[in-house]
Coordinates of all heavy atoms in Angstrom, one line a residue:
M30 N -40.4 215.7 245.3 CA -39.6 214.7 244.7 C -38.1 215.1 245.0 O -37.7 216.2 244.5 CB -40.0 214.6 243.3 CG -39.1 213.6 242.6 SD -39.8 213.5 240.8 CE -39.3 211.8 240.5
R31 N -37.2 214.2 245.4 CA -35.8 214.4 245.5 C -35.2 214.5 244.1 O -35.6 213.6 243.3 CB -35.2 213.3 246.4 CG -35.1 213.7 247.8 CD -34.5 212.7 248.6 NE -33.2 212.4 248.0 CZ -32.5 211.3 248.5 NH1 -32.8 210.7 249.4 NH2 -31.4 211.2 247.9
E32 N -34.2 215.3 244.0 CA -33.5 215.3 242.7 C -32.5 214.2 242.7 O -31.9 213.8 243.7 CB -32.7 216.6 242.5 CG -31.9 216.8 241.2 CD -31.4 218.2 241.2 OE1 -30.9 218.8 242.2 OE2 -31.4 218.6 240.0
A33 N -32.3 213.5 241.6 CA -31.4 212.3 241.5 C -30.0 212.9 241.4 O -29.7 213.7 240.6 CB -31.8 211.5 240.3
R34 N -29.2 212.2 242.3 CA -27.7 212.7 242.3 C -26.9 211.6 242.7 O -27.3 210.6 243.3 CB -27.5 213.7 243.4 CG -28.2 215.1 243.3 CD -28.0 216.0 244.3 NE -28.5 217.3 244.1 CZ -27.9 218.3 243.3 NH1 -26.6 218.0 242.9 NH2 -28.5 219.4 243.1
F35 N -25.6 211.7 242.1 CA -24.5 210.6 242.6 C -23.3 211.5 242.9 O -23.3 212.7 242.7 CB -24.2 209.7 241.5 CG -23.7 210.2 240.3 CD1 -22.4 210.4 240.0 CD2 -24.6 210.5 239.3 CE1 -21.9 210.9 238.8 CE2 -24.1 211.0 237.9 CZ -22.8 211.2 237.8
R36 N -22.3 210.9 243.5 CA -21.1 211.7 244.0 C -20.0 211.3 242.9 O -19.7 210.2 242.5 CB -20.6 211.2 245.2 CG -21.5 211.4 246.4 CD -21.6 212.8 246.9 NE -20.4 213.1 247.6 CZ -20.1 214.4 248.1 NH1 -21.0 215.4 247.8 NH2 -19.0 214.7 248.6
W37 N -19.3 212.4 242.5 CA -18.2 212.3 241.5 C -17.1 213.1 242.1 O -17.1 214.3 242.3 CB -18.7 213.0 240.1 CG -17.4 213.3 239.2 CD1 -16.9 214.5 238.9 CD2 -16.6 212.3 238.5 NE1 -15.9 214.4 238.1 CE2 -15.6 213.0 237.9 CE3 -16.6 210.9 238.6 CZ2 -14.6 212.5 237.1 CZ3 -15.5 210.3 237.8 CH2 -14.6 211.1 237.1
N38 N -16.1 212.3 242.5 CA -14.9 212.9 243.1 C -15.2 213.9 244.2 O -14.6 214.9 244.4 CB -14.0 213.6 242.1 CG -13.3 212.6 241.1 OD1 -13.1 211.5 241.5 ND2 -12.9 213.1 239.9
G39 N -16.2 213.5 245.0 CA -16.6 214.3 246.1 C -17.6 215.3 245.9 O -18.1 216.0 246.9
A40 N -18.1 215.6 244.6 CA -19.0 216.6 244.4 C -20.4 215.9 244.1 O -20.4 214.8 243.3 CB -18.6 217.4 243.2
D41 N -21.5 216.5 244.4 CA -22.9 216.0 244.0 C -23.1 216.4 242.6 O -23.0 217.5 242.2 CB -23.9 216.6 244.9 CG -24.0 216.0 246.2 OD1 -23.6 214.8 246.3 OD2 -24.5 216.6 247.2
I42 N -23.5 215.4 241.8 CA -23.8 215.6 240.3 C -25.3 215.2 240.1 O -25.6 214.0 240.3 CB -22.9 214.7 239.4 CG1 -21.4 215.0 239.7 CG2 -23.2 214.9 238.0 CD1 -20.9 216.3 239.2
P43 N -26.0 216.1 239.7 CA -27.4 215.8 239.3 C -27.5 215.1 238.0 O -26.6 215.3 237.1 CB -28.1 217.2 239.3 CG -27.1 218.1 238.8 CD -25.8 217.6 239.4
F44 N -28.5 214.2 237.9 CA -28.7 213.5 236.6 C -30.1 213.4 236.2 O -30.9 213.5 237.1 CB -28.0 212.1 236.5 CG -28.5 211.2 237.4 CD1 -29.5 210.3 237.0 CD2 -28.0 211.1 238.8 CE1 -29.9 209.4 237.8 CE2 -28.5 210.1 239.6 CZ -29.5 209.2 239.1
R45 N -30.3 213.2 235.0 CA -31.7 212.9 234.5 C -31.9 211.4 234.3 O -31.0 210.7 234.0 CB -31.9 213.6 233.1 CG -31.7 215.1 233.3 CD -31.8 215.8 231.9 NE -31.6 217.2 232.0 CZ -30.8 217.9 231.2 NH1 -30.3 217.4 230.1 NH2 -30.7 219.2 231.4
E46 N -33.2 211.0 234.4 CA -33.5 209.6 234.2 C -33.0 209.1 232.9 O -33.2 209.7 231.8 CB -35.0 209.4 234.4 CG -35.4 207.9 234.4 CD -36.9 207.7 234.5 OE1 -37.6 208.5 235.0 OE2 -37.3 206.7 234.0
G47 N -32.3 208.0 232.8 CA -31.8 207.4 231.7 C -30.4 207.9 231.2 O -29.9 207.4 230.2
E48 N -29.9 208.8 231.9 CA -28.6 209.4 231.6 C -27.4 208.5 232.0 O -27.6 208.0 233.1 CB -28.5 210.8 232.2 CG -27.5 211.7 231.6 CD -27.7 213.1 232.1 OE1 -28.0 213.4 233.2 OE2 -27.5 214.0 231.3
T49 N -26.3 208.5 231.3 CA -25.2 207.8 231.7 C -24.4 208.7 232.7 O -24.5 209.8 232.7 CB -24.3 207.4 230.5 OG1 -23.8 208.6 229.9 CG2 -25.0 206.5 229.5
L50 N -23.4 208.0 233.3 CA -22.5 208.7 234.2 C -21.8 209.7 233.4 O -21.7 210.9 233.9 CB -21.5 207.7 234.9 CG -22.1 206.7 235.9 CD1 -21.0 205.7 236.2 CD2 -22.7 207.3 237.1
A51 N -21.2 209.4 232.3 CA -20.4 210.4 231.5 C -21.3 211.6 231.0 O -20.7 212.7 231.2 CB -19.8 209.7 230.3
A52 N -22.4 211.3 230.6 CA -23.2 212.5 230.1 C -23.5 213.4 231.3 O -23.4 214.7 231.1 CB -24.6 212.0 229.6
A53 N -23.9 212.9 232.5 CA -24.2 213.7 233.6 C -23.0 214.5 234.1 O -23.0 215.7 234.4 CB -24.7 212.9 234.8
I54 N -21.8 213.8 234.1 CA -20.5 214.5 234.6 C -20.1 215.6 233.6 O -19.8 216.7 234.0 CB -19.3 213.5 234.7 CG1 -19.7 212.5 235.8 CG2 -18.1 214.1 234.9 CD1 -18.8 211.3 235.9
L55 N -20.2 215.3 232.4 CA -19.8 216.3 231.3 C -20.7 217.4 231.3 O -20.4 218.6 231.1 CB -19.7 215.6 230.0 CG -18.4 214.6 229.9 CD1 -18.5 214.0 228.6 CD2 -17.2 215.4 230.1
R56 N -22.1 217.2 231.5 CA -23.1 218.3 231.4 C -22.9 219.2 232.7 O -23.0 220.4 232.7 CB -24.5 217.7 231.4 CG -25.6 218.7 231.3 CD -27.0 218.1 231.2 NE -27.3 217.1 232.0 CZ -27.6 217.1 233.3 NH1 -27.6 218.3 233.9 NH2 -27.9 216.1 234.0
A57 N -22.7 218.6 233.9 CA -22.7 219.4 235.1 C -21.3 219.9 235.5 O -21.3 221.0 236.2 CB -23.2 218.4 236.2
G58 N -20.3 219.4 234.9 CA -19.0 219.9 235.4 C -18.1 220.6 234.4 O -18.6 220.9 233.3
P59 N -17.0 221.2 234.9 CA -16.2 222.0 234.1 C -15.4 221.1 233.1 O -15.4 219.8 233.2 CB -15.2 222.6 235.1 CG -15.2 221.6 236.2 CD -16.5 221.0 236.3
S60 N -14.8 221.7 232.1 CA -14.1 221.0 231.0 C -12.9 220.1 231.6 O -12.5 219.2 230.9 CB -13.6 221.9 229.9 OG -12.8 222.8 230.4
D61 N -12.4 220.5 232.8 CA -11.3 219.8 233.4 C -11.8 218.6 234.3 O -11.2 218.4 235.3 CB -10.4 220.7 234.1 CG -11.0 221.4 235.3 OD1 -12.2 221.4 235.5 OD2 -10.3 222.0 236.1
A62 N -12.9 218.1 234.0 CA -13.6 217.0 234.9 C -12.7 215.8 235.0 O -13.0 215.0 235.9 CB -14.9 216.7 234.4
G63 N -11.6 215.7 234.3 CA -10.8 214.5 234.3 C -11.4 213.3 233.7 O -11.0 212.2 234.0
L64 N -12.4 213.4 232.8 CA -13.0 212.3 232.2 C -12.9 212.4 230.7 O -13.3 213.4 230.1 CB -14.5 212.3 232.6 CG -15.4 211.2 231.9 CD1 -15.1 209.8 232.6 CD2 -16.9 211.5 232.1
G65 N -12.4 211.3 230.1 CA -12.2 211.2 228.7 C -13.5 210.7 228.1 O -14.3 210.0 228.7
Y66 N -13.9 211.2 226.9 CA -15.1 210.8 226.3 C -14.9 210.7 224.7 O -14.6 211.8 224.2 CB -16.3 211.7 226.6 CG -17.6 211.1 226.2 CD1 -18.4 210.4 227.1 CD2 -18.2 211.5 224.9 CE1 -19.6 209.8 226.7 CE2 -19.4 211.0 224.5 CZ -20.1 210.2 225.4 OH -21.3 209.7 225.1
F67 N -14.7 209.6 224.2 CA -14.4 209.6 222.8 C -15.5 208.7 222.0 O -16.2 209.3 221.1 CB -13.1 208.9 222.6 CG -12.6 208.7 221.2 CD1 -12.3 209.9 220.4 CD2 -12.5 207.6 220.5 CE1 -11.8 209.9 219.2 CE2 -12.1 207.5 219.2 CZ -11.8 208.7 218.5
C68 N -15.7 207.4 222.2 CA -16.5 206.6 221.4 C -17.9 206.6 221.7 O -18.8 206.4 220.9 CB -15.9 205.2 221.3 SG -16.2 204.2 222.8
G69 N -18.2 206.7 223.0 CA -19.6 206.7 223.5 C -20.3 205.3 223.5 O -21.5 205.1 223.7
I70 N -19.5 204.2 223.1 CA -20.0 202.9 223.2 C -19.3 201.9 224.1 O -19.4 200.7 224.0 CB -20.2 202.3 221.8 CG1 -18.8 202.2 221.1 CG2 -21.2 203.1 221.0 CD1 -18.8 201.4 219.8
G71 N -18.3 202.5 224.9 CA -17.6 201.6 225.9 C -16.4 200.8 225.2 O -15.8 200.0 226.0
A72 N -16.0 201.1 224.0 CA -15.0 200.4 223.4 C -13.5 201.0 223.5 O -12.6 200.3 223.7 CB -15.3 200.3 221.8
C73 N -13.5 202.3 223.7 CA -12.2 203.0 223.7 C -11.5 203.0 225.1 O -10.4 203.2 225.2 CB -12.3 204.3 223.1 SG -12.9 205.5 224.1
Q74 N -12.3 202.8 226.1 CA -11.9 202.8 227.5 C -11.4 204.2 228.0 O -10.7 204.3 229.0 CB -10.7 201.8 227.7 CG -11.1 200.4 227.4 CD -12.2 199.8 228.3 OE1 -11.9 199.7 229.5 NE2 -13.3 199.6 227.8
S75 N -11.6 205.3 227.2 CA -11.1 206.6 227.7 C -11.9 207.1 228.8 O -11.6 208.1 229.5 CB -11.1 207.6 226.5 OG -12.4 208.0 226.1
C76 N -13.1 206.6 229.0 CA -14.1 207.1 230.1 C -14.1 206.2 231.4 O -15.0 206.3 232.1 CB -15.4 207.3 229.5 SG -16.2 205.7 229.1
V77 N -13.1 205.3 231.5 CA -13.2 204.3 232.6 C -13.2 205.1 233.9 O -12.3 206.0 234.2 CB -12.1 203.3 232.5 CG1 -11.9 202.5 233.8 CG2 -12.3 202.4 231.4
V78 N -14.0 204.7 234.8 CA -14.2 205.3 236.2 C -14.3 204.1 237.2 O -14.6 203.0 236.7 CB -15.2 206.3 236.3 CG1 -15.0 207.5 235.4 CG2 -16.6 205.7 236.1
W79 N -14.4 204.5 238.5 CA -14.6 203.5 239.5 C -16.0 204.0 240.1 O -16.3 205.0 240.4 CB -13.7 203.5 240.6 CG -12.3 203.0 240.1 CD1 -11.3 203.6 239.5 CD2 -12.0 201.6 240.1 NE1 -10.3 202.8 239.1 CE2 -10.7 201.5 239.5 CE3 -12.6 200.4 240.6 CZ2 -10.1 200.3 239.3 CZ3 -11.9 199.2 240.4 CH2 -10.7 199.2 239.8
C80 N -16.9 203.1 240.0 CA -18.4 203.3 240.5 C -18.6 202.2 241.6 O -18.7 201.0 241.3 CB -19.3 203.2 239.4 SG -21.0 203.5 239.9
D81 N -18.7 202.6 242.9 CA -19.0 201.8 244.1 C -18.1 200.7 244.0 O -18.5 199.5 244.2 CB -20.5 201.3 243.9 CG -21.5 202.5 244.2 OD1 -21.1 203.5 244.8 OD2 -22.6 202.4 243.7
G82 N -16.8 200.9 243.7 CA -15.7 199.9 243.8 C -15.6 199.1 242.6 O -14.6 198.3 242.6
R83 N -16.3 199.3 241.5 CA -16.2 198.5 240.4 C -15.7 199.4 239.2 O -16.1 200.6 239.1 CB -17.5 198.0 240.0 CG -18.0 196.9 240.9 CD -19.3 196.3 240.6 NE -19.3 195.9 239.1 CZ -20.3 196.0 238.3 NH1 -21.4 196.7 238.7 NH2 -20.3 195.7 237.1
R84 N -14.9 198.9 238.3 CA -14.3 199.6 237.2 C -15.4 199.5 236.1 O -15.8 198.4 235.6 CB -13.1 199.0 236.7 CG -12.4 199.7 235.6 CD -11.0 198.8 235.4 NE -10.3 199.5 234.3 CZ -10.4 199.2 233.0 NH1 -11.3 198.3 232.6 NH2 -9.7 199.9 232.1
V85 N -15.8 200.7 235.6 CA -16.9 200.7 234.6 C -16.6 201.7 233.6 O -15.8 202.6 233.8 CB -18.3 201.0 235.2 CG1 -18.7 199.9 236.2 CG2 -18.3 202.4 235.8
E86 N -17.2 201.6 232.3 CA -17.1 202.6 231.3 C -18.3 203.6 231.5 O -19.4 203.3 231.5 CB -17.2 202.1 229.9 CG -16.1 201.1 229.6 CD -16.3 199.7 230.1 OE1 -17.3 199.3 230.5 OE2 -15.3 199.0 229.9
A87 N -17.9 204.9 231.8 CA -18.9 205.9 232.2 C -19.9 206.1 231.0 O -21.0 206.6 231.3 CB -18.2 207.2 232.7
C88 N -19.5 206.0 229.8 CA -20.3 206.4 228.8 C -21.4 205.4 228.5 O -22.4 205.7 227.8 CB -19.5 206.4 227.4 SG -18.9 204.9 226.8
V89 N -21.4 204.2 229.1 CA -22.5 203.2 228.9 C -23.1 202.7 230.3 O -24.0 201.9 230.3 CB -21.9 201.9 228.2 CG1 -21.6 202.3 226.7 CG2 -20.9 201.2 228.8
T90 N -22.6 203.4 231.3 CA -23.1 203.0 232.6 C -24.2 204.0 233.1 O -23.9 205.2 233.2 CB -22.0 203.0 233.7 OG1 -21.0 202.0 233.3 CG2 -22.6 202.5 235.1
P91 N -25.4 203.5 233.3 CA -26.4 204.4 233.7 C -26.2 205.1 235.1 O -25.7 204.3 236.0 CB -27.7 203.5 233.8 CG -27.4 202.3 233.1 CD -25.9 202.1 233.1
A92 N -26.4 206.4 235.3 CA -26.3 207.0 236.5 C -27.4 206.4 237.5 O -28.6 206.1 237.0 CB -26.4 208.5 236.4
R93 N -27.0 206.4 238.8 CA -28.1 205.9 239.7 C -27.9 206.7 241.0 O -26.7 207.0 241.4 CB -28.1 204.4 240.0 CG -26.9 203.8 240.5 CD -27.0 202.3 240.5 NE -25.8 201.8 241.0 CZ -25.3 201.9 242.2 NH1 -26.0 202.4 243.1 NH2 -24.1 201.4 242.5
T94 N -28.9 206.9 241.6 CA -28.9 207.7 242.9 C -28.0 207.1 244.0 O -28.2 205.9 244.2 CB -30.4 207.8 243.4 OG1 -31.1 208.6 242.4 CG2 -30.4 208.6 244.7
G95 N -27.2 208.0 244.5 CA -26.4 207.5 245.7 C -25.1 206.9 245.2 O -24.3 206.5 246.1
A96 N -24.9 206.6 244.0 CA -23.6 206.0 243.6 C -22.4 206.9 243.9 O -22.5 208.1 243.9 CB -23.6 205.8 242.0
S97 N -21.3 206.3 244.2 CA -20.1 206.9 244.5 C -19.1 206.6 243.3 O -18.7 205.5 243.2 CB -19.4 206.5 245.8 OG -18.3 207.0 246.1
V98 N -18.8 207.7 242.6 CA -18.0 207.5 241.3 C -16.7 208.4 241.4 O -16.7 209.5 242.0 CB -18.8 208.0 240.1 CG1 -18.0 207.8 238.8 CG2 -20.2 207.4 240.0
S99 N -15.6 207.8 240.9 CA -14.3 208.6 241.1 C -13.4 208.1 239.9 O -13.6 207.1 239.3 CB -13.6 208.4 242.3 OG -13.1 207.1 242.4
G100 N -12.5 209.0 239.6 CA -11.6 208.8 238.5 C -10.4 207.9 238.9 O -9.6 207.5 238.1
S101 N -10.4 207.4 240.2 CA -9.3 206.5 240.6 C -9.9 205.5 241.5 O -11.0 205.7 242.1 CB -8.2 207.3 241.3 OG -8.7 208.0 242.5
E102 N -9.1 204.5 241.9 CA -9.6 203.3 242.6 C -9.8 203.6 244.1 O -10.4 202.9 244.8 CB -8.7 202.1 242.4 CG -9.3 200.9 242.9 CD -8.3 199.6 242.6 OE1 -7.2 199.8 242.0 OE2 -8.6 198.6 243.0
D103 N -9.3 204.8 244.6 CA -9.3 205.0 246.0 C -10.6 204.6 246.6 O -11.6 205.0 246.6 CB -9.2 206.5 246.3 CG -8.0 207.1 245.5 OD1 -6.9 206.7 245.8 OD2 -8.3 208.0 244.7

């Protein structure tokens, strides 16, 4: 079975089924991941990222295999 992963600013991030983008990034990455996390319900906008070209709140967006996620619109 392949491990579920997505790309975060060029790095492969593993995630567990049902996990949000923010949870996976914060669990796998260093404290300087460049991702804010405050409310956990998508209201504060501190965790906004770009996922496959769309602006989303990482704290409420489910991680999915193969997604390309970054902290900027590039």
Side-chain angles (χ1 to χ4, degrees):
M30 178 181 211
R31 271 184 48 190
E32 185 173 38
R34 294 179 174 275
F35 63 88
R36 298 284 288 171
W37 164 248
N38 290 336
D41 281 335
I42 301 294
F44 67 91
R45 299 172 182 144
E46 185 177 338
E48 198 166 36
T49 65
L50 293 172
I54 292 166
L55 294 172
R56 181 175 48 77
S60 60
D61 65 347
L64 177 72
Y66 191 89
F67 182 71
C68 73
I70 60 171
C73 75
Q74 304 291 297
S75 71
C76 67
V77 168
V78 296
W79 292 88
C80 180
D81 295 330
R83 295 182 47 224
R84 185 179 181 272
V85 299
E86 293 84 8
C88 71
V89 294
T90 302
R93 64 183 173 74
T94 300
S97 178
V98 185
S99 69
S101 63
E102 190 176 3
D103 313 290

